[in-house]
Amino acid sequence: QSASFIDAKAVCTKIADVEVLVQRSENATFPYKQAEWFEEYHRYDEIVAWYKNKCENEHPEICVYIDSIGKSFEGRDQPSILIGSNSIPDKPTVKIYFQCQIHAREWISGATCMYIANYLLENYRQDDRVTRLLDQLEFIFVPFVNPDGYEYTWTNDRLWRKNRRSPPRGSQCYGVDLNRNYNENWGKEGSSSNPCSETYLGEEVESEPETRNTVNAFRAFAPIIGAIDWHSYSQLIIRPYGDSYADSLDEEQLYSLGEAMASAIREVHGSIYENIKGVELYPTSGAASDWFYNDDATSTNEGYRAAGMTIELRDLGQYGFLLPPDQIIPTGNEVVPAVL
């Protein structure tokens, strides 16, 4: 059996080693068949409807749809989805947390989260390993960290990155980089105080409602043993830290975990994902995945220090943020065995 993200035993807790095989079934109730759904990217409203249908109509026995963990700056809901069996009397309460679409232009991030969620839902009671996994723990998906920015990439600027915060006094530039707004060495190297910068950190730590909503959700869903912030592009598996070359408390385990994940990805289509510390890509501070791992999040996580990681999906630069939709399915295929 191959190792995966779920095998963060030394960092988090002891749970079963799980290897998943790809099986897919046709969606009979939603307007799109599954094969059609994953052949294109979708707007915010369509994606919300897809998740809601999956939970409430197709898989209510293992899926709970939460309408909103809070509102974005422009007033859009940030839904969340909980996937796991409710039929096991003494089921452990530990959870895996995935958040998606923090950077608006990285469309493959949200599409991959849907692919993973769909895989779990369609394979429960069909695949023994997936069934055992969902009987042991719960998966939490936050499909839209940045719903306003995502919609803006459809209507105005396909390469928009930040949220849609109004310009601060004295500036005409919109938006805060939500991945520089978390309470983890906020304001240090790798972020900018210039509102016109792509890495503008905001006027204060957790200034943005989208950041606060995800922080509050992470705390409310505790205990979380592993968390991934999904991004593109560069094909990287990134572990702490983003602002320091120092080893984290669990460097050996997190490095080994990243190596196993990269190996699992490579075995599917031959894609090479590099396993690095965040700072090796470029310095970042106030980033979500470092926050997942470090002391502020740990303080309310019932004694667990979550294995916090960032995954940068396809590709290596040929298309970059404009990854074509025919890459959605192969991207999903290769990351499923790495994270499940």
Side-chain angles (χ1 to χ4, degrees):
Q1 296 179 349
S2 62
S4 74
F5 182 67
I6 300 301
D7 294 309
K9 300 183 184 71
V11 182
C12 306
T13 187
K14 291 186 177 180
I15 54 178
D17 180 19
V18 177
E19 172 188 80
V20 277
L21 304 173
V22 175
Q23 294 180 353
R24 305 178 67 202
S25 60
E26 289 300 313
N27 181 331
T29 61
F30 197 67
Y32 294 87
K33 291 184 178 180
Q34 284 180 34
E36 295 172 349
W37 179 257
F38 290 110
E39 287 174 356
E40 59 184 293
Y41 294 107
H42 300 276
R43 298 284 292 270
Y44 166 82
D45 286 340
E46 289 181 291
I47 293 170
V48 169
W50 182 87
Y51 275 111
K52 191 176 183 72
N53 177 71
K54 280 286 177 184
C55 287
E56 295 184 353
N57 297 327
E58 295 189 22
H59 302 283
E61 74 285 0
I62 58 168
C63 190
V64 175
Y65 180 85
I66 299 173
D67 288 309
S68 186
I69 60 170
K71 299 279 190 181
S72 68
F73 178 77
E74 293 183 338
R76 290 181 177 88
D77 286 317
Q78 293 177 264
S80 63
I81 294 87
L82 282 57
I83 301 176
S85 169
N86 296 317
S87 62
I88 307 300
D90 296 317
K91 175 186 172 183
T93 59
V94 292
K95 296 148 189 172
I96 301 293
Y97 176 92
F98 291 160
Q99 68 175 37
C100 328
Q101 214 67 67
I102 192 170
H103 287 151
R105 63 194 177 192
E106 298 169 9
W107 287 8
I108 192 63
S109 160
T112 299
C113 286
M114 283 189 287
Y115 193 94
I116 297 169
N118 186 72
Y119 184 87
L120 290 168
L121 292 169
E122 297 300 326
N123 283 285
Y124 186 70
R125 299 299 187 206
Q126 302 298 318
D127 181 278
D128 288 343
R129 298 185 188 280
V130 172
T131 302
R132 287 199 298 271
L133 174 61
L134 293 183
D135 284 345
Q136 291 169 350
L137 51 78
E138 189 168 65
F139 282 83
I140 300 159
F141 290 81
V142 177
F144 288 105
V145 179
N146 185 7
D148 300 342
Y150 182 69
E151 270 299 284
Y152 193 76
T153 63
W154 283 85
T155 60
N156 292 78
D157 181 356
R158 174 62 182 85
L159 293 178
W160 187 258
R161 169 184 167 102
K162 300 184 285 184
N163 77 347
R164 292 297 299 162
R165 161 71 68 178
S166 299
R169 181 175 299 179
S171 175
Q172 295 182 335
C173 295
Y174 284 77
V176 169
D177 183 352
L178 299 175
N179 206 36
R180 301 295 185 276
N181 195 233
Y182 285 81
N183 186 21
E184 179 50 43
N185 286 334
W186 181 81
K188 302 291 180 62
E189 189 177 6
S191 62
S192 174
S193 59
N194 179 358
C196 298
S197 169
E198 292 272 57
T199 58
Y200 176 50
L201 74 173
E203 293 193 292
E204 61 185 21
V205 66
E206 294 181 11
S207 60
E208 303 312 290
E210 298 92 342
T211 309
R212 294 194 300 272
N213 294 340
T214 57
V215 165
N216 291 339
F218 189 96
R219 296 191 196 280
F221 289 133
I224 291 168
I225 63 169
I228 294 177
D229 191 30
W230 293 90
H231 288 254
S232 74
Y233 60 97
S234 291
Q235 296 180 196
L236 300 171
I237 298 167
I238 299 175
R239 65 189 185 277
Y241 293 110
D243 62 347
S244 171
Y245 283 94
D247 287 346
S248 71
L249 294 173
D250 302 288
E251 164 63 14
E252 182 178 350
Q253 293 88 350
L254 289 171
Y255 172 81
S256 297
L257 177 60
E259 288 293 288
M261 293 169 70
S263 177
I265 290 170
R266 187 167 57 248
E267 289 176 7
V268 179
H269 296 302
S271 297
I272 304 299
Y273 278 57
E274 191 177 354
N275 175 30
I276 65 170
K277 291 180 180 178
V279 71
E280 295 177 64
L281 177 61
Y282 46 69
T284 59
S285 57
S289 60
D290 278 359
W291 182 83
F292 297 153
Y293 175 77
N294 238 1
D295 294 344
D296 187 45
T298 300
S299 67
T300 57
N301 201 29
E302 300 185 18
Y304 291 92
R305 184 178 295 277
M309 305 185 85
T310 293
I311 294 186
E312 297 276 0
L313 296 162
R314 291 189 180 195
D315 60 5
L316 292 173
Q318 180 180 2
Y319 297 104
F321 301 120
L322 304 180
L323 194 72
D326 63 9
Q327 298 290 301
I328 296 171
I329 291 174
T331 301
N333 281 341
E334 66 193 9
V335 299
V336 160
V339 299
L340 303 184

